[in-house]
């Protein structure tokens, strides 16, 4: 289980961040300054990756990032209006707020890593790419094909041992059929 990040560590990180990065929206600076001056609010702040999946998520980006300048997510609603977001943050200080900061090499930044917590709202299949799904399907198809071939070969051997010519020829035809089917499948 992850150790909670202290209010002081969050405050120190935000101050460090504001001293080292320029945000794309000046309202983002105002919001972060508001947060560091309200201890009760800081208790409910959680720095995460992919804040868009959170019930209340805030994404802010620095000029050195290619990401969107500002997004605020509340349940199914999304806004780029920092004033509306600020109002919600101010009025709901006792609700968890998940913040994602986008800046150059944020994934490699030790200060950011020290305050990051695991996002409990990321879908289970989020990290599975199309390439991963395609590779898994290929492996599954190959495994099923090999299993079918092995089972048919055992039955063919049994038919030979028993001298059952008709079953032998039927099974060889089935084996050839699944091999032909495998050859005709596209290799994508």
């Amino acid at each position: 289980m992850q150790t909670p990040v202290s209010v002081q560590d969050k405050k120190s990180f935000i101050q460090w961040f504001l001293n080292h990065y320029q945000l794309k929206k000046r309202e983002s600076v105002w919001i972060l300054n508001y947060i560091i001056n309200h201890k009760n609010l800081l208790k409910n702040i959680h720095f995460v990756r992919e804040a868009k999946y959170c019930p209340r998520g805030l994404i802010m980006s620095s000029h050195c990032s290619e990401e969107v300048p500002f997004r605020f997510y509340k349940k199914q609603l999304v806004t780029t209006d920092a004033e509306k977001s600020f109002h919600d943050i101010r009025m709901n200080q006792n609700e968890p707020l998940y913040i994602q900061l986008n800046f150059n090499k944020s994934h490699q930044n030790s200060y950011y890593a020290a305050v990051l917590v695991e996002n409990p709202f990321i879908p289970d299949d989020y990290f599975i790419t199309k390439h991963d799904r395609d590779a898994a399907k290929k492996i599954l198809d190959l495994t099923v094909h090999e299993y079918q071939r092995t089972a048919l070969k055992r039955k063919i051997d049994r038919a030979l041992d028993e001298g059952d010519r008709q079953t032998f020829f039927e099974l060889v035809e089935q084996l050839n059929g699944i091999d032909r089917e495998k050859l005709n499948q596209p290799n994508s």
Side-chain angles (χ1 to χ4, degrees):
M1 186 162 150
Q2 213 167 4
T3 307
V5 180
S6 74
V7 168
Q8 185 54 49
D9 287 345
K10 294 175 198 178
K11 184 175 181 173
S12 296
F13 168 72
I14 295 171
Q15 289 169 329
W16 171 85
F17 180 79
L18 289 171
N19 286 327
H20 287 84
Y21 292 93
Q22 185 178 6
L23 290 159
K24 290 181 179 180
K25 280 195 111 163
R26 69 177 183 270
E27 293 91 341
S28 296
V29 175
W30 300 343
I31 290 171
L32 289 175
N33 276 313
Y34 180 80
I35 289 170
I36 61 175
N37 289 307
H38 292 82
K39 187 176 181 178
N40 198 41
L41 179 55
L42 266 171
K43 288 180 189 174
N44 291 302
I45 297 294
H46 308 285
F47 292 97
V48 296
R49 300 199 196 285
E50 303 302 331
K52 66 185 175 189
Y53 292 109
C54 300
R56 272 179 80 222
L58 181 60
I59 298 175
M60 295 184 252
S61 300
S62 70
H63 281 286
C64 60
S65 167
E66 299 293 320
E67 302 297 322
V68 296
F70 184 93
R71 290 282 190 281
F72 181 74
Y73 297 84
K74 185 161 184 180
K75 298 183 176 134
Q76 274 62 356
L77 301 174
V78 182
T79 185
T80 58
D81 187 333
E83 287 184 35
K84 286 181 184 176
S85 307
F86 176 73
H87 179 71
D88 184 87
I89 293 165
R90 193 171 53 81
M91 298 304 292
N92 300 293
Q93 293 188 20
N94 294 323
E95 289 182 31
L97 177 63
Y98 298 87
I99 299 176
Q100 172 185 334
L101 295 174
N102 297 319
F103 56 99
N104 190 35
K105 297 184 181 177
S106 63
H107 287 66
Q108 299 171 359
N109 187 288
S110 59
Y111 295 113
Y112 194 37
V115 295
L116 272 177
V117 295
E118 189 173 328
N119 186 339
F121 303 101
I122 290 182
D124 291 338
D125 63 348
Y126 177 75
F127 294 105
I128 299 173
T129 65
K130 181 182 180 332
H131 180 281
D132 294 338
R133 282 191 291 277
D134 291 345
K137 184 179 180 336
K138 279 184 182 179
I139 291 169
L140 180 61
D141 290 347
L142 182 62
T143 303
V144 168
H145 176 75
E146 288 303 316
Y147 174 79
Q148 290 173 334
R149 287 188 96 249
T150 302
L152 282 171
K153 285 180 176 182
R154 281 192 200 116
K155 289 178 182 178
I156 289 170
D157 288 346
R158 193 175 320 121
L160 280 173
D161 290 344
E162 294 171 359
D164 185 347
R165 291 174 53 100
Q166 182 178 349
T167 302
F168 169 80
F169 287 119
E170 289 171 4
L171 293 171
V172 167
E173 186 55 39
Q174 285 180 26
L175 180 63
N176 290 336
I178 66 167
D179 284 345
R180 274 192 303 273
E181 193 176 295
K182 181 70 177 154
L183 285 173
N184 292 329
Q185 288 181 349
N187 291 334
S188 55

